[in-house]
Amino acid sequence: MDQSLSNTSQSRSVDRKTIEKNRRIQMKALSSELNSLLPQTSRAPLTLPDQLDEAANYIKELQVNVEKMTERKRKLAATGSSSMSSSVDVSVPRRLPKIEIQETGSILHVFLVTSVEHKFIFHEIISVLSDESGAEITHAGSSTVDDTVFHTLHCKVY
C-alpha cells in the first residue's frame, strides 16, 4: 500500500511539473505575441516587466484613440442629422460641398455650394476645367452668405 501512495505522489508531482512547464511555455508564447504587436523601437531589448509596462501603456493609448474616434463618429453622425449642432467640433465640416453641372451646347455652367472650410474646392475645379479639360473660363464668380459660399463658373468647351 505504501508503494501505491508513493507512485501516486510521484505522478502528481510529475503532473504538476508538466502543467507548470506547459503554463510557462504558453506564457512565453503569449508574451512574444504581445511584444510582436507593439510598435518596434530601435533600442535594446527590454526586460519582461518593462515589456509588460510598455504593452500596458500602448494598450491605454489605443483605448484613448478608440474613444476619440468613437466621439468623432458620434459628432459626425449628429452633424448629418442636424446641421446646426452646437456640440460639433470646428474641424468637422457642417455640410458637404454640392456641385451642379449644366451643359448647353459648348457652354458649361458649374454651380458649387460649399462652406467656408471647403472654398479651396473652387480652385481645384477651375484647374481641372482649364488645365486638364482645355475649357476656356468665360466667367467666374462667388458670393458668401454667413458660412456658405456660392460659386458660379461659365466655360466654353472645345
Side-chain angles (χ1 to χ4, degrees):
M1 197 71 151
D2 191 25
Q3 188 168 353
S4 69
L5 281 175
S6 174
N7 285 342
T8 307
S9 173
Q10 286 178 349
S11 68
R12 285 184 192 165
S13 174
V14 171
D15 286 345
R16 270 195 209 128
K17 287 180 183 178
T18 305
I19 291 170
E20 186 63 25
K21 182 180 176 184
N22 289 339
R23 188 188 67 77
R24 284 187 183 141
I25 291 171
Q26 185 179 16
M27 291 304 289
K28 284 181 182 178
L30 287 173
S31 176
S32 295
E33 186 177 342
L34 177 63
N35 196 28
S36 71
L37 295 173
L38 294 175
Q40 299 301 318
T41 58
S42 60
R43 61 179 182 240
L46 299 173
T47 63
L48 187 59
D50 291 338
Q51 288 177 0
L52 292 174
D53 288 341
E54 188 173 324
N57 290 336
Y58 183 67
I59 290 169
K60 287 177 186 175
E61 285 178 28
L62 290 176
Q63 187 176 13
V64 167
N65 287 343
V66 166
E67 289 170 0
K68 285 180 184 177
M69 292 297 166
T70 304
E71 180 65 21
R72 185 168 181 213
K73 179 182 174 184
R74 185 191 63 76
K75 286 180 181 180
L76 286 172
T79 302
S81 63
S82 169
S83 64
M84 292 301 192
S85 176
S86 62
S87 66
V88 175
D89 190 51
V90 174
S91 64
V92 178
R94 291 201 182 118
R95 72 179 74 82
L96 296 175
K98 295 177 186 172
I99 188 166
E100 182 182 328
I101 301 172
Q102 296 176 353
E103 185 178 354
T104 310
S106 65
I107 305 292
L108 191 67
H109 303 282
V110 179
F111 302 99
L112 177 67
V113 180
T114 66
S115 61
V116 175
E117 298 99 22
H118 287 107
K119 64 183 175 183
F120 66 89
I121 292 175
F122 181 66
H123 300 290
E124 289 180 14
I125 290 174
I126 289 176
S127 81
V128 166
L129 287 172
S130 62
D131 297 342
E132 296 177 20
S133 303
E136 179 187 340
I137 298 174
T138 57
H139 173 76
S142 67
S143 58
T144 306
V145 177
D146 293 329
D147 67 342
T148 304
V149 182
F150 299 91
H151 303 279
T152 57
L153 278 172
H154 300 283
C155 311
K156 252 189 181 175
V157 181
Y158 298 103

